[in-house]
Amino acid sequence: MKRYLFQYAALRKDTDFDFVVPALSVAMGVLLAAAVIPRTPPDTIRGYGDAALLSGAGASFLSAYWKCSRYHIIAALLSTSFLGTFAIPVVLAYRGFALSCASAAVMLDYPSGGALFSALFLGIPAVIAVPSLIWLSGEAMASSRDLFCRRFAARPRLRGATGWRNMLFSFAVLIPAAVLEATVLPALAAILVNSM
């Protein structure tokens, strides 16, 4: 009975399940934010736009890298437990929700240029960080699902070393995003905010 109950965990690698679930989880977080934000009083969100825009001002490369990679680190840590099969999609949904809420706060705080600010200061790093997070989370979920199969006596799939190499590549891809967060974007944000 246990084998049938957890049969979904033994899906084959060629179904692309490993990358569909992370992408859908991020999309679910964005959709949840789109449903919640219109019902939230604007005064509740107002004021957080400055924090979202200027949070990287004066930050070192390491703190900018932490800001870009914290969800990646959580997903990688969850890959070491069979519970990551369920927890990683929750983390990804929260990432999509938090990014959407930060974007809404920027647009509320800066009515004239909020969409541009959001696209520049949240969108550019997200274009690098979110696909990297989806890639890493796919590998993390596959690793976690293997542990899940072993834990519940389902037929385990053996993974090669490529999963860890792909995870390390996902962390390396974040270096340009961290450089942008630490150098270019805070200076540009200060110039644009002061000119508004």
Side-chain angles (χ1 to χ4, degrees), residues 16-17 25-26 28 30 39 42 65 78 80 88 132 140 147 177 191:
D16 289 332
F17 180 78
S25 299
V26 173
M28 291 282 289
V30 171
R39 294 183 173 88
Y65 189 80
L78 287 171
T80 62
I88 291 171
S132 169
L147 294 172
I191 292 169

Side-chain angles (χ1 to χ4, degrees), residues 89-116:
V90 173
V91 170
L92 293 174
Y94 180 75
R95 171 64 169 139
F97 181 81
L99 184 62
S100 299
C101 289
S103 178
V106 169
M107 287 192 254
L108 277 174
D109 281 351
Y110 301 97
S112 59
L116 174 67

Side-chain angles (χ1 to χ4, degrees), residues 20 48 51 53 55 64 73-75 96 108 112 114 116 125 132 138 140 142 146 148 161 173 179-180 182-183 189:
V20 170
Y48 290 105
L53 284 183
S55 62
I73 293 169
I74 293 169
L108 277 174
S112 59
L116 174 67
S132 169
D146 286 345
F148 188 90
V173 166
V179 169
L180 281 172
T183 58

Side-chain angles (χ1 to χ4, degrees), residues 1-179:
M1 181 66 173
K2 198 184 295 185
R3 185 175 302 235
Y4 294 112
L5 184 61
F6 300 112
Q7 185 176 9
Y8 81 95
L11 288 173
R12 298 187 57 82
K13 178 75 174 166
D14 55 6
T15 61
D16 289 332
F17 180 78
D18 294 338
F19 303 106
V20 170
V21 171
L24 287 176
S25 299
V26 173
M28 291 282 289
V30 171
L31 290 174
L32 181 63
V36 168
I37 289 170
R39 294 183 173 88
T40 305
D43 293 335
T44 306
I45 302 172
R46 192 166 282 127
Y48 290 105
D50 285 335
L53 284 183
L54 302 174
S55 62
S60 67
F61 170 77
L62 288 178
S63 61
Y65 189 80
W66 165 251
K67 184 179 173 185
C68 292
S69 67
R70 58 188 168 201
Y71 294 101
H72 294 67
I73 293 169
I74 293 169
L77 289 175
L78 287 171
S79 73
T80 62
S81 168
F82 70 90
L83 295 175
T85 307
F86 309 104
I88 291 171
V90 173
V91 170
L92 293 174
Y94 180 75
R95 171 64 169 139
F97 181 81
L99 184 62
S100 299
C101 289
S103 178
V106 169
M107 287 192 254
L108 277 174
D109 281 351
Y110 301 97
S112 59
L116 174 67
F117 291 171
S118 178
L120 284 175
F121 306 116
L122 298 174
I124 290 175
V127 164
I128 299 170
V130 172
S132 169
L133 178 62
I134 290 171
W135 178 264
L136 180 137
S137 297
E139 297 293 338
M141 283 190 69
S143 175
S144 184
R145 197 170 59 245
D146 286 345
L147 294 172
F148 188 90
C149 290
R150 289 184 184 136
R151 170 69 175 87
F152 291 103
R155 187 178 63 180
R157 290 186 304 121
L158 297 175
R159 291 182 52 79
T162 58
W164 288 105
R165 276 187 248 142
N166 290 338
M167 284 185 169
L168 290 175
F169 177 74
S170 296
F171 281 108
V173 166
L174 295 175
I175 292 172
V179 169

